[in-house]
Amino acid sequence: MRVSRNICQQGSGADVETFWDWITVFTFAGLATLLLQRSAEEEPRDHLWQYAPPAVGCALANYVGNEGLSCASSSDF
């Protein structure tokens, strides 16, 4: 009987391997934490749309860094 592997072990291409992957994960986690803290305030200081540009910047820096353009990626951050 053949046992299939877990989907997390199938190499779906979503591995966190590079420096830019880790930096992006930590930066995005901090951004999400800030969003959750500020949205729980009685009078929220920020609007949801204000978090979109930094989140897109994280994705762009990660993509450019993974493509091997570290100099351009560091300027995105």
Side-chain angles (χ1 to χ4, degrees):
M1 180 162 102
R2 186 171 184 194
V3 177
S4 64
R5 294 189 305 171
N6 187 345
I7 193 159
C8 295
Q9 297 173 346
Q10 290 181 355
S12 62
D15 298 333
V16 180
E17 297 175 349
T18 67
F19 169 77
W20 295 108
D21 291 335
W22 287 107
I23 291 295
T24 304
V25 165
F26 290 132
T27 304
F28 188 77
L31 184 65
T33 302
L34 184 65
L35 168 73
L36 292 173
Q37 283 180 335
R38 290 190 175 174
S39 66
E41 294 176 350
E42 222 171 283
E43 278 294 319
R45 299 182 249 181
D46 305 330
H47 299 283
L48 185 59
W49 65 268
Q50 293 172 314
Y51 292 91
V56 170
C58 282
L60 181 64
N62 188 33
Y63 174 76
V64 172
N66 287 342
E67 293 299 314
L69 304 171
S70 293
C71 188
S73 183
S74 63
S75 68
D76 284 345
F77 263 113

